[in-house]
Amino acid sequence: MQDKNTIAEFNAATLDLVNQIIKRYPQGRQKSALLPVLHIAQAENNGWLSADTMDYVASLLGIQPIEVYEVASFYSMFNLQPVGNCVIEVCQTGPCWLNGAEQLLAHFEKRLGIKPGETTPDGKFTLKTVECLAACGNAPVIQVGTEYHEKLTTLKADELLDKWTAENKNSHTNPYL
Amino acid sequence: MPLLKVTIDNIEVEVEAGTTILNAARQIGGSVVPPAMCYYSKLEGSGGKCRTCLVKVAQGSAKDPRPMPKLVASCRTLVQDGMVVQNTTSPEVMEARGAITEFLLLNHPLDCPVCDQAGECHLQDLSYEHGLEETRTVEERRTFEPIDIGDKIKLHMTRCILCYRCVMVADQLTDQRVHGVLGRGDHCEISTHIVKAVDNDFSGNMIDVCPVGALTDQTFRFKSRVWFTKPFDAHRECSKCSGKTVLWMKGDEILRVTGRKDKYGELEEFICNSCRFEHKELNDWTVTGPRVIERHSVISQNHYETTAFSKLKKG
Amino acid sequence: MAKQILLKNIEVPGLAGFDVYRRLGGYSAVEKALKGYTPDQVTDEVKKSGLKGRGGAGFPAGMKWSFIDKKSDNPRYFVCNFDESEPGTFKDRHIGQLNPHQLIEGMILGSYALGANAAYIYIRGELFYVLNIIEKAINEAYKNGFLGENILGSGYSLNLYCHPGAGAYICGEETALLESLEGKRGNPRIKPPFPAIVGLYGCPTVVNNVETIAALPWIVNNGGEAYAAIGTGASTGTKLISACGHINKPGIYEIELGLPVEEFIYSDEYCGGIRNGNSLKAVVAGGSSVPILPADLILKTAKGEPRLMSYESLAEGGFQTGTMLGSGGFIVMDHTTCIVKNLLTFARFYRHESCGQCSPCREGTGWMEKILMRIEGGQGTMKDINLLTDIAKNIEGNTICPLGDAAAWPVASAIRHFREEFEEHVKLQKCPF
C-alpha cells in the first residue's frame, strides 16, 4: 500500500486559508485549527490522511505528530487508509433503516460489486456505511463529499452512479471552497 | 484553612479543603478505601475513567444535605464539610462495582497463566473481590497482536483497560510523547500509530503505572512468576533519578528492577530507565533490606526469612 | 396554527441573505439590546421566558447563563452547539441552512448577555455546506456592522467564527464539544467543574443549542413574559419537532408546547397520519436516546389522559410508562416495523459513537449490540433478553457523560414494552418480520 502522498505540502493559496483559520483562535491555541486543517489536508491528498500528511499538519500547527494521530483516528470522517476517487457514504441508522436504507445499500453493493469499506478495483468508488447524517425527514440519505443526496431511491441511485461514472467524479474537494 | 469533616462508611475523618473522597478514604485506610484502576495521585488529570471507585454520596454537605443523584467517582469528587459517603456500606455501590468489574473483564483475555503481571495485577485483585463467579458473555473477545514499543517495553493491547496512565507518564515525565490513545470507543488502543520506539529516560515508568499486564518489562519477560522472586529495597548513585528502587531477586540474580510502590500500588518516586534496565548486577546496588509488600497480593506470601539477606549486603 | 417564532419567515426566498432578513425585521433585537439593555437585563428576559435548552436536556437557558463566572479575569466564551446528530433530529440544519442570520443574531444577543467577545458555532463536519452558508452570513453581518469592533457604536465588540467537527456524535455533549474545539479527541470532561466556570481554554463558557439561540431574538423583541405566555406554563414557548419514519408528511414543525400528540401525528397540518393507511406501532418521541413508547402510551398516559407534546406530559409516568421530549426528534413506526431490528440500529449507533473513555459505555455498548445481533439473527436465547436489561441497568448512571444513559434507555424501554417481540425472535430462531 502506498504510504507517500502525491502532494506533500499545501500550495500558497491553501496555506493562506490555513493561516486565516488559525487566526480564529486565541494566540497559542493554534491546535484548535486541527480539525479544519485535517479536513483540508484530506481533501487535497486524495481523500485520506497518511502518516506523512499528518506529520506535515503537526509541523504546521507546532504540535506533536501523536497529537494529530490521536485526533484523526477519533473522528469518523477522516480516512487513515487510501480511498477511491468518489466516496459514497450510506446512512444506516434507525430512521434511514425505516425507510429502506438496507435495500439502498444492497443496491450500491450490487452495482459497484463491493462491500462497505471496500474500493472498486478501478479506484473510482469507495462504499462506506455511516451513522445518522441528521437528515432523517428525507430518508434514506447518502453523503458524497460535501453533498447530501436525500430521499434516495434505487432509481435515483442509478442515475447518480451513471453520472458520477461518466464524469469521473472526485468527492475530495476542499470543503471551504 | 479549617479542616473539613467527612464521614465514610460511618468513620469520620478531617481533611484539608481540596481533598477528594478517595484520598480522604485513604487517610482512614483499610476497607473503606475504594479500588482505583485509573487514578494515580502523582499523575495530573488522572482518574474518573474506569469507574471502579464509584461511591454514594448520601449527604452532599452540612449546608446542603441533599444526596447526589448518581454514584460519583470518588477519585475526582471533592469533599465538602459534613459530607456523608457510603462505599462498602452501600449495596448499590457494591453492585455497581461488580458491574464495572464485569465490563473491564469483558474483552480481557484472562491469560494470567502467561502474563508477567500476574500476582501484582490490580485487575486480578479487583476480580477476586468483586467479580462474578462465572462469565456471562459468549461473544468473541477483541484481540490485538502484542507489539514492541522499543526494545524494553512490550505492549499487550488485549490486556489494556485504557486507564490513560501511561499516556500521562509520557506527557508529564518525558519531553516528547510518541504514543497515545488511538481510535474510538471499543476500538480504542494504546499505540504509536507508526511503529516508533518509546525511548526516553523515564519511559520505563509506564510499566510500573500500568495496573494490568498491558505494558511489561521486556528484560523480565517470562523470567519468573513474581511470587517466586524476592523484593529488596536498594539504591545507587544516579544522576537522573533518586536511584531508590526495588530489586526482584531469585537467588543472587536480579531479575527485575522497579520503582518502590506504596500500599495502593503507586510509585513513591519515578525512576530512570538506566536504573531500571541497565543495572542488573548486585555490585551496582546497595541493598538496604527486604521490601515489605503490604498488599494482600500473593507476593506478600513470600517468606523473607529464607533469604540470606546478609549475603546481599555489599561489603 | 402554531406560533411562528422560529420558522415565521423560513419560506421567504433569499432569507439566508442579509438584506431579506433585515427587511423582515432582522437584527432589531440586537439594536434593542445593545442600545437599551444591560447584559444582565438580557439575561433577565431569558430567565423570564422560561426557555429551556432545546438540545435535549431541557435545562433552563437563563439559569445556565447565570452560572457563568463573572469574577474571573479570563475572557468568556459563548459557543453554539450545532453538532446535531441524535438520530431522528434534523431541526438545526433547517435553521442553519435557511435562516443563518437568525442564529447569528441570537449569538450576538447571548454573547452580549454573557460578556463574551468571541463566540464559536461548532457545526458537525458532515454539514460543511451549511457551515459555508453560515460563514457567508457572518461576513455579511460584519460588513453591516453587527459583528466586529464597537457594534452599532455601543462599545461592545464580538468576533464570531464557525468551527467544523469531523464525525463524532459525542461532540454534542458540551464538554466533549469544547475538547473538540480545542483540537483534541472528543472525550467528555469529568464534571464538576462545569463549563460556566472552566470551559473553553479553561475560561468561563456557555454552550447552547442552535434552536435555543435562534429563539433569543424573538424573546428580546417581544419580552420574556410574552414567550412564557405561549405553551403550558411549565413548558414555555414553541419547539421544533423533526418528524420522520412511517408518516405521510415527514418534516420540521414548529409547535406550541402542549399540542396533543394525537393531533400532531394524525392532523394534516403536521405528520398527516401513518403511511399507506397502516396502524401506529410505536414512537420514539425525542431522539433515539429517549424511551420508546407503544402506540397506546404515546397517545394517552397510563392514567388515560391525552398525551401532550410538552416536557412534563411526555415524562408523565416516569420511564415505566412515559418518555421525554428530548431533542424533539420524533420517530414514528408503523405495524410493519421490527422493534428488535430498529433497536439494533440504535445500539450499533451508540457503540460506534462511544468515545471509549469510561469502561461501562466502551464495553457495554458493544456488548448490547452483539447480543441484539444474535437475537435479530435468530441465535438469541431467553437469557439474553434479561442479560440485555441487566447490561443497560449497569451502564445507566455509571458513566462520565450521558451517552451511557442514552445507549441504555432505548434497550431497557424496548424490552419493557415489547418483550414478547424479543421472545418471538428467540422462539422462532429468526426475525418474524
Side-chain angles (χ1 to χ4, degrees), chain B residues 49-62:
Chain B
K49 293 174 167 57
C50 73
R51 318 303 283 175
T52 52
C53 74
L54 289 177
V55 293
K56 187 177 175 67
V57 176
Q59 177 175 316
S61 66

mmCIF file with all atom_site columns, all heavy atoms in Angstrom, chain B residues 49-62:
data_model
loop_
_atom_site.group_PDB
_atom_site.id
_atom_site.type_symbol
_atom_site.label_atom_id
_atom_site.label_alt_id
_atom_site.label_comp_id
_atom_site.label_asym_id
_atom_site.label_entity_id
_atom_site.label_seq_id
_atom_site.pdbx_PDB_ins_code
_atom_site.Cartn_x
_atom_site.Cartn_y
_atom_site.Cartn_z
_atom_site.occupancy
_atom_site.B_iso_or_equiv
_atom_site.pdbx_formal_charge
_atom_site.auth_seq_id
_atom_site.auth_comp_id
_atom_site.auth_asym_id
_atom_site.auth_atom_id
_atom_site.pdbx_PDB_model_num
ATOM 1  N N   . LYS B 1 49 ? -12.097 7.621  34.874 1.00 0.00 ? 49 LYS B N   1
ATOM 2  C CA  . LYS B 1 49 ? -12.411 6.857  33.677 1.00 0.00 ? 49 LYS B CA  1
ATOM 3  C C   . LYS B 1 49 ? -12.887 5.428  33.935 1.00 0.00 ? 49 LYS B C   1
ATOM 4  O O   . LYS B 1 49 ? -13.820 4.950  33.322 1.00 0.00 ? 49 LYS B O   1
ATOM 5  C CB  . LYS B 1 49 ? -11.193 6.835  32.757 1.00 0.00 ? 49 LYS B CB  1
ATOM 6  C CG  . LYS B 1 49 ? -10.858 8.198  32.187 1.00 0.00 ? 49 LYS B CG  1
ATOM 7  C CD  . LYS B 1 49 ? -9.574  8.147  31.396 1.00 0.00 ? 49 LYS B CD  1
ATOM 8  C CE  . LYS B 1 49 ? -9.367  9.389  30.556 1.00 0.00 ? 49 LYS B CE  1
ATOM 9  N NZ  . LYS B 1 49 ? -9.367  10.639 31.315 1.00 0.00 ? 49 LYS B NZ  1
ATOM 10 N N   . CYS B 1 50 ? -12.207 4.719  34.861 1.00 0.00 ? 50 CYS B N   1
ATOM 11 C CA  . CYS B 1 50 ? -12.506 3.288  34.991 1.00 0.00 ? 50 CYS B CA  1
ATOM 12 C C   . CYS B 1 50 ? -13.815 3.046  35.729 1.00 0.00 ? 50 CYS B C   1
ATOM 13 O O   . CYS B 1 50 ? -14.471 2.049  35.515 1.00 0.00 ? 50 CYS B O   1
ATOM 14 C CB  . CYS B 1 50 ? -11.354 2.561  35.667 1.00 0.00 ? 50 CYS B CB  1
ATOM 15 S SG  . CYS B 1 50 ? -11.214 2.881  37.431 1.00 0.00 ? 50 CYS B SG  1
ATOM 16 N N   . ARG B 1 51 ? -14.204 3.953  36.588 1.00 0.00 ? 51 ARG B N   1
ATOM 17 C CA  . ARG B 1 51 ? -15.456 3.916  37.360 1.00 0.00 ? 51 ARG B CA  1
ATOM 18 C C   . ARG B 1 51 ? -15.466 2.854  38.468 1.00 0.00 ? 51 ARG B C   1
ATOM 19 O O   . ARG B 1 51 ? -16.526 2.562  39.016 1.00 0.00 ? 51 ARG B O   1
ATOM 20 C CB  . ARG B 1 51 ? -16.686 3.741  36.460 1.00 0.00 ? 51 ARG B CB  1
ATOM 21 C CG  . ARG B 1 51 ? -16.683 4.550  35.172 1.00 0.00 ? 51 ARG B CG  1
ATOM 22 C CD  . ARG B 1 51 ? -16.534 6.012  35.370 1.00 0.00 ? 51 ARG B CD  1
ATOM 23 N NE  . ARG B 1 51 ? -17.743 6.693  35.810 1.00 0.00 ? 51 ARG B NE  1
ATOM 24 C CZ  . ARG B 1 51 ? -17.776 7.986  36.140 1.00 0.00 ? 51 ARG B CZ  1
ATOM 25 N NH1 . ARG B 1 51 ? -16.684 8.719  36.095 1.00 0.00 ? 51 ARG B NH1 1
ATOM 26 N NH2 . ARG B 1 51 ? -18.908 8.548  36.529 1.00 0.00 ? 51 ARG B NH2 1
ATOM 27 N N   . THR B 1 52 ? -14.306 2.259  38.799 1.00 0.00 ? 52 THR B N   1
ATOM 28 C CA  . THR B 1 52 ? -14.315 1.269  39.878 1.00 0.00 ? 52 THR B CA  1
ATOM 29 C C   . THR B 1 52 ? -14.429 1.930  41.243 1.00 0.00 ? 52 THR B C   1
ATOM 30 O O   . THR B 1 52 ? -14.816 1.275  42.208 1.00 0.00 ? 52 THR B O   1
ATOM 31 C CB  . THR B 1 52 ? -13.037 0.394  39.887 1.00 0.00 ? 52 THR B CB  1
ATOM 32 O OG1 . THR B 1 52 ? -11.913 1.249  39.871 1.00 0.00 ? 52 THR B OG1 1
ATOM 33 C CG2 . THR B 1 52 ? -12.993 -0.535 38.713 1.00 0.00 ? 52 THR B CG2 1
ATOM 34 N N   . CYS B 1 53 ? -14.094 3.211  41.335 1.00 0.00 ? 53 CYS B N   1
ATOM 35 C CA  . CYS B 1 53 ? -14.107 3.863  42.652 1.00 0.00 ? 53 CYS B CA  1
ATOM 36 C C   . CYS B 1 53 ? -15.414 4.583  42.920 1.00 0.00 ? 53 CYS B C   1
ATOM 37 O O   . CYS B 1 53 ? -15.485 5.399  43.835 1.00 0.00 ? 53 CYS B O   1
ATOM 38 C CB  . CYS B 1 53 ? -12.928 4.824  42.778 1.00 0.00 ? 53 CYS B CB  1
ATOM 39 S SG  . CYS B 1 53 ? -13.137 6.335  41.830 1.00 0.00 ? 53 CYS B SG  1
ATOM 40 N N   . LEU B 1 54 ? -16.452 4.284  42.138 1.00 0.00 ? 54 LEU B N   1
ATOM 41 C CA  . LEU B 1 54 ? -17.745 4.940  42.354 1.00 0.00 ? 54 LEU B CA  1
ATOM 42 C C   . LEU B 1 54 ? -18.223 4.728  43.797 1.00 0.00 ? 54 LEU B C   1
ATOM 43 O O   . LEU B 1 54 ? -18.131 3.621  44.327 1.00 0.00 ? 54 LEU B O   1
ATOM 44 C CB  . LEU B 1 54 ? -18.807 4.369  41.404 1.00 0.00 ? 54 LEU B CB  1
ATOM 45 C CG  . LEU B 1 54 ? -18.702 4.710  39.912 1.00 0.00 ? 54 LEU B CG  1
ATOM 46 C CD1 . LEU B 1 54 ? -19.800 3.984  39.154 1.00 0.00 ? 54 LEU B CD1 1
ATOM 47 C CD2 . LEU B 1 54 ? -18.785 6.206  39.664 1.00 0.00 ? 54 LEU B CD2 1
ATOM 48 N N   . VAL B 1 55 ? -18.715 5.816  44.396 1.00 0.00 ? 55 VAL B N   1
ATOM 49 C CA  . VAL B 1 55 ? -19.289 5.724  45.743 1.00 0.00 ? 55 VAL B CA  1
ATOM 50 C C   . VAL B 1 55 ? -20.600 6.488  45.784 1.00 0.00 ? 55 VAL B C   1
ATOM 51 O O   . VAL B 1 55 ? -20.920 7.242  44.865 1.00 0.00 ? 55 VAL B O   1
ATOM 52 C CB  . VAL B 1 55 ? -18.345 6.314  46.820 1.00 0.00 ? 55 VAL B CB  1
ATOM 53 C CG1 . VAL B 1 55 ? -17.092 5.474  46.950 1.00 0.00 ? 55 VAL B CG1 1
ATOM 54 C CG2 . VAL B 1 55 ? -18.018 7.774  46.516 1.00 0.00 ? 55 VAL B CG2 1
ATOM 55 N N   . LYS B 1 56 ? -21.329 6.299  46.853 1.00 0.00 ? 56 LYS B N   1
ATOM 56 C CA  . LYS B 1 56 ? -22.596 7.006  47.014 1.00 0.00 ? 56 LYS B CA  1
ATOM 57 C C   . LYS B 1 56 ? -22.392 8.170  47.974 1.00 0.00 ? 56 LYS B C   1
ATOM 58 O O   . LYS B 1 56 ? -21.824 7.988  49.055 1.00 0.00 ? 56 LYS B O   1
ATOM 59 C CB  . LYS B 1 56 ? -23.642 6.035  47.575 1.00 0.00 ? 56 LYS B CB  1
ATOM 60 C CG  . LYS B 1 56 ? -25.046 6.596  47.627 1.00 0.00 ? 56 LYS B CG  1
ATOM 61 C CD  . LYS B 1 56 ? -25.999 5.502  48.121 1.00 0.00 ? 56 LYS B CD  1
ATOM 62 C CE  . LYS B 1 56 ? -27.403 6.044  48.300 1.00 0.00 ? 56 LYS B CE  1
ATOM 63 N NZ  . LYS B 1 56 ? -28.029 6.431  47.024 1.00 0.00 ? 56 LYS B NZ  1
ATOM 64 N N   . VAL B 1 57 ? -22.837 9.345  47.560 1.00 0.00 ? 57 VAL B N   1
ATOM 65 C CA  . VAL B 1 57 ? -22.809 10.491 48.466 1.00 0.00 ? 57 VAL B CA  1
ATOM 66 C C   . VAL B 1 57 ? -24.212 10.631 49.035 1.00 0.00 ? 57 VAL B C   1
ATOM 67 O O   . VAL B 1 57 ? -25.133 11.111 48.386 1.00 0.00 ? 57 VAL B O   1
ATOM 68 C CB  . VAL B 1 57 ? -22.358 11.774 47.746 1.00 0.00 ? 57 VAL B CB  1
ATOM 69 C CG1 . VAL B 1 57 ? -22.443 12.971 48.684 1.00 0.00 ? 57 VAL B CG1 1
ATOM 70 C CG2 . VAL B 1 57 ? -20.940 11.609 47.223 1.00 0.00 ? 57 VAL B CG2 1
ATOM 71 N N   . ALA B 1 58 ? -24.377 10.163 50.282 1.00 0.00 ? 58 ALA B N   1
ATOM 72 C CA  . ALA B 1 58 ? -25.704 10.125 50.902 1.00 0.00 ? 58 ALA B CA  1
ATOM 73 C C   . ALA B 1 58 ? -26.106 11.502 51.409 1.00 0.00 ? 58 ALA B C   1
ATOM 74 O O   . ALA B 1 58 ? -27.283 11.805 51.545 1.00 0.00 ? 58 ALA B O   1
ATOM 75 C CB  . ALA B 1 58 ? -25.714 9.120  52.054 1.00 0.00 ? 58 ALA B CB  1
ATOM 76 N N   . GLN B 1 59 ? -25.108 12.320 51.684 1.00 0.00 ? 59 GLN B N   1
ATOM 77 C CA  . GLN B 1 59 ? -25.357 13.703 52.105 1.00 0.00 ? 59 GLN B CA  1
ATOM 78 C C   . GLN B 1 59 ? -24.274 14.576 51.493 1.00 0.00 ? 59 GLN B C   1
ATOM 79 O O   . GLN B 1 59 ? -23.085 14.332 51.706 1.00 0.00 ? 59 GLN B O   1
ATOM 80 C CB  . GLN B 1 59 ? -25.347 13.791 53.631 1.00 0.00 ? 59 GLN B CB  1
ATOM 81 C CG  . GLN B 1 59 ? -25.531 15.198 54.150 1.00 0.00 ? 59 GLN B CG  1
ATOM 82 C CD  . GLN B 1 59 ? -25.643 15.252 55.667 1.00 0.00 ? 59 GLN B CD  1
ATOM 83 O OE1 . GLN B 1 59 ? -26.340 14.453 56.297 1.00 0.00 ? 59 GLN B OE1 1
ATOM 84 N NE2 . GLN B 1 59 ? -24.928 16.182 56.265 1.00 0.00 ? 59 GLN B NE2 1
ATOM 85 N N   . GLY B 1 60 ? -24.689 15.592 50.704 1.00 0.00 ? 60 GLY B N   1
ATOM 86 C CA  . GLY B 1 60 ? -23.727 16.408 49.959 1.00 0.00 ? 60 GLY B CA  1
ATOM 87 C C   . GLY B 1 60 ? -22.816 17.207 50.865 1.00 0.00 ? 60 GLY B C   1
ATOM 88 O O   . GLY B 1 60 ? -21.609 17.230 50.686 1.00 0.00 ? 60 GLY B O   1
ATOM 89 N N   . SER B 1 61 ? -23.398 17.877 51.845 1.00 0.00 ? 61 SER B N   1
ATOM 90 C CA  . SER B 1 61 ? -22.608 18.665 52.789 1.00 0.00 ? 61 SER B CA  1
ATOM 91 C C   . SER B 1 61 ? -23.518 19.045 53.955 1.00 0.00 ? 61 SER B C   1
ATOM 92 O O   . SER B 1 61 ? -24.718 18.805 53.906 1.00 0.00 ? 61 SER B O   1
ATOM 93 C CB  . SER B 1 61 ? -22.066 19.939 52.116 1.00 0.00 ? 61 SER B CB  1
ATOM 94 O OG  . SER B 1 61 ? -23.133 20.802 51.781 1.00 0.00 ? 61 SER B OG  1
ATOM 95 N N   . ALA B 1 62 ? -22.933 19.659 54.967 1.00 0.00 ? 62 ALA B N   1
ATOM 96 C CA  . ALA B 1 62 ? -23.747 20.091 56.102 1.00 0.00 ? 62 ALA B CA  1
ATOM 97 C C   . ALA B 1 62 ? -24.722 21.172 55.652 1.00 0.00 ? 62 ALA B C   1
ATOM 98 O O   . ALA B 1 62 ? -25.878 21.205 56.053 1.00 0.00 ? 62 ALA B O   1
ATOM 99 C CB  . ALA B 1 62 ? -22.847 20.605 57.222 1.00 0.00 ? 62 ALA B CB  1
#
